[in-house]
Amino acid sequence: MDTIQTPSVETLMTKAVVDLAKDDRFLAHLPTESSRIEGQGHYRLAKIFYDKADFEKAEEHFLMALARTELPQDAFAIFKIYGFLIRIYSESLNEKEAMKYIQLSSELLDQTVAALPSLNAEYFYNAAVVNTYKGEFSEAHKNFNQAYRKAQTENEPELMAKSLYAMATNAYQMKNFQDTINHLNQLNELLNILKKGYLKGSMHLLWGNALRELGDYSSSLPQYDLAMKLLHSKRCWNMHNYVLLNKGISLKKMGEFSKALMLFGLAQNSLDDEYFKRLEQLIMMEVEDVNDSSVDLYLDRHNRVIHEKALGVIDFKHRFVLLEILFLLAQTPGTYYNKEDLAKMIWKDEYNPLIHDKLIYTSISRLRKLIEPKGIKRQYILRGKDGYTFNPRVNARFHKENEVVKQKNIANIEISSPV
């Protein structure tokens, strides 16, 4: 008896896409040239592989789709393909290829202006995307706003949604985090109608990041969980490890080091390190920041919080002077600061015993009550004949501010941002 050959998953997917391309309803929206129909099939197949995080096959099919496009009728389709390729090359840190397609996007934008009878919402959206590639965030902001207004006029709800998400991302890039959340609130209302799962998953990921930047770590965690749930329901795996990374960063900032390391480990073990090189580097940076389980005190000056291993998170947002004393001492363990030093460095005054003696004593006492675990006397701040010092035997770690932001990000885009 002959063995029955079971077709591969890729073969079945390819057949499904080609069948769709031959469907009469689909053909109604396409030119009849067979090569362009094939191009549409390759594009849809590439998008499937992109969502599944198989960037090698996605790149292959995007390039085959690109080879079957024609200008001027396929201009906006070409923009989309360029966008996907730029994201793939940015993630794999292939700067040469990414910059090539950024340049082609810019040239295509100029060609599109000449071919269009009037500038529509899609044109302004792509113009803003090109601005973003170049780091021109203020100009991108103007064009995304214009795209949103035009999409409203042209009754293009999906483009309205993409524009709102892009405006939120743009605000995030310019560190206007409250504006980011305002745009996402608008987007959330629209997506309750449109039911775009991938975009909504991206929205919750960005929402979590914005809340984290505002210092609201606990509120960021449910946003990451929502992102993960939505992406899994849509079988989209390309952002899976980015959600794990960002949730881990929030946990790290809360001082939950073991939980953060668990998430970093899950992300690291399940990524394709050939194509997700940027993500791999980001994860390694975070692991290096928290991999010492013996940390006693984790200090985040930017967000004015610390984490003590027995007490948990301690908020210093309304205790500015105490925080400054702690950081002064903790930055140079074993170095003693006398009353004259503290008066000058903390209060910017010349030492006056009538003023500063009680002020210093009271401030140090309040600080100790905040950070010293019960039952352990003077673990962190010690007093000697030369003044006060931070215990050099304590393992303290300082949060590396903006370290992830400094990591190379070609074209200023993320995998999570829709094309």
Side-chain angles (χ1 to χ4, degrees):
M1 183 180 292
D2 294 336
T3 303
I4 298 174
Q5 297 293 325
T6 303
S8 68
V9 173
E10 182 175 354
T11 301
L12 292 171
M13 291 168 68
T14 304
K15 182 179 183 301
V17 171
V18 172
D19 287 345
L20 177 61
K22 293 177 180 178
D23 188 277
D24 289 340
R25 292 168 296 174
F26 186 61
L27 286 173
H29 300 285
L30 291 172
T32 58
E33 295 90 337
S34 60
S35 65
R36 294 184 66 220
I37 296 172
E38 291 174 11
Q40 289 288 339
H42 282 299
Y43 174 83
R44 289 176 177 266
L45 191 56
K47 183 63 170 62
I48 291 171
F49 284 122
Y50 181 85
D51 290 346
K52 306 303 179 194
D54 188 343
F55 284 179
E56 181 178 6
K57 291 179 181 176
E59 176 191 10
E60 176 186 342
H61 286 284
F62 278 131
L63 290 173
M64 286 193 284
L66 188 61
R68 290 163 173 79
T69 56
E70 297 178 12
L71 285 173
Q73 57 266 49
D74 293 330
F76 292 129
I78 294 171
F79 267 121
K80 286 186 176 182
I81 296 172
Y82 285 170
F84 281 115
L85 289 171
I86 290 167
R87 281 157 175 75
I88 290 171
Y89 296 135
S90 176
E91 184 59 36
S92 59
L93 299 181
N94 187 343
E95 188 166 10
K96 181 180 177 182
E97 288 299 305
M99 296 309 295
K100 180 178 84 173
Y101 285 101
I102 290 170
Q103 180 60 36
L104 288 172
S105 296
S106 183
E107 293 171 2
L108 179 59
L109 190 67
D110 294 336
Q111 296 173 35
T112 305
V113 172
L116 286 174
S118 61
L119 301 183
N120 58 14
E122 198 159 6
Y123 166 81
F124 283 107
Y125 179 85
N126 285 295
V129 169
V130 172
N131 293 142
T132 301
Y133 292 155
K134 296 178 178 179
E136 300 167 353
F137 299 129
S138 294
E139 194 63 29
H141 176 74
K142 296 175 186 176
N143 281 319
F144 281 133
N145 269 292
Q146 185 73 349
Y148 177 68
R149 289 195 295 269
K150 285 273 186 180
Q152 285 180 307
T153 304
E154 295 163 11
N155 194 25
E156 294 281 354
E158 290 193 15
L159 192 51
M160 285 171 58
K162 285 175 61 177
S163 297
L164 279 171
Y165 181 87
M167 289 159 66
T169 303
N170 178 263
Y172 186 86
Q173 289 165 328
M174 294 195 291
K175 301 188 183 303
N176 298 328
F177 303 121
Q178 190 55 57
D179 286 348
T180 299
I181 291 174
N182 293 339
H183 290 311
L184 293 176
N185 273 310
Q186 287 182 271
L187 176 60
N188 190 40
E189 292 181 11
L190 184 56
L191 289 182
N192 286 334
I193 301 170
L194 291 180
K195 308 296 183 184
K196 302 289 286 185
Y198 184 90
L199 185 56
K200 196 160 189 177
S202 301
M203 176 192 74
H204 285 297
L205 173 55
L206 180 58
W207 211 323
N209 291 347
L211 287 168
R212 188 182 69 219
E213 291 297 330
L214 290 169
D216 193 353
Y217 307 133
S218 59
S219 295
S220 73
L221 300 180
Q223 295 294 334
Y224 296 128
D225 292 338
L226 284 169
M228 190 72 78
K229 182 178 180 181
L230 284 160
L231 293 170
H232 283 188
S233 71
K234 291 295 181 180
R235 306 296 189 267
C236 293
W237 304 109
N238 56 9
M239 283 193 288
H240 175 269
N241 293 322
Y242 268 101
V243 178
L244 291 176
L245 168 67
N246 283 285
K247 183 176 180 180
I249 293 171
S250 281
L251 288 168
K252 181 195 78 171
K253 290 193 171 188
M254 295 170 68
E256 300 287 351
F257 302 121
S258 59
K259 292 180 181 178
L261 284 172
M262 182 186 68
L263 293 184
F264 296 150
L266 286 172
Q268 195 170 34
N269 292 332
S270 58
L271 62 79
D272 177 349
D273 56 8
E274 181 179 351
Y275 277 88
F276 284 83
K277 291 180 179 178
R278 178 173 181 267
L279 176 59
E280 183 180 32
Q281 290 186 7
L282 293 174
I283 294 170
M284 286 302 300
M285 284 168 42
E286 296 298 339
V287 170
E288 289 171 5
D289 191 32
V290 298
N291 63 0
D292 188 347
S293 60
S294 64
V295 172
D296 296 299
L297 204 63
Y298 182 83
L299 304 101
D300 184 348
R301 186 173 192 171
H302 177 71
N303 293 297
R304 297 185 182 179
V305 295
I306 71 165
H307 182 276
E308 202 282 327
K309 66 179 182 180
L311 299 176
V313 176
I314 304 169
D315 188 349
F316 276 79
K317 287 185 175 62
H318 302 294
R319 302 178 174 109
F320 180 76
V321 171
L322 302 187
L323 183 66
E324 289 300 300
I325 294 172
L326 176 59
F327 269 84
L328 174 65
L329 300 178
Q331 284 170 345
T332 54
T335 299
Y336 282 86
Y337 293 86
N338 59 31
K339 295 175 182 178
E340 288 81 359
D341 297 327
L342 293 173
K344 185 175 182 180
M345 300 178 79
I346 301 299
W347 286 276
K348 314 301 180 188
D349 285 337
E350 292 297 324
Y351 172 65
N352 183 334
L354 296 176
I355 298 173
H356 294 109
D357 279 0
K358 185 176 180 180
L359 186 58
I360 291 170
Y361 176 80
T362 303
S363 298
I364 295 292
S365 296
R366 289 175 59 207
L367 180 57
R368 280 175 170 158
K369 286 180 181 178
L370 277 173
I371 67 173
E372 300 281 1
K374 292 180 179 179
I376 302 177
K377 190 174 182 180
R378 299 180 182 176
Q379 177 180 350
Y380 296 113
I381 299 174
L382 308 178
R383 183 177 181 179
K385 63 179 181 178
D386 297 320
Y388 296 94
T389 189
F390 191 83
N391 188 349
R393 295 182 179 181
V394 167
N395 190 350
R397 186 181 296 276
F398 291 85
H399 170 56
K400 299 177 181 178
E401 294 180 23
N402 299 322
E403 194 68 35
V404 172
V405 177
K406 293 176 184 176
Q407 180 66 15
K408 192 172 187 62
N409 185 7
I410 301 168
N412 304 298
I413 52 91
E414 304 282 350
I415 286 296
S416 58
S417 58
V419 177

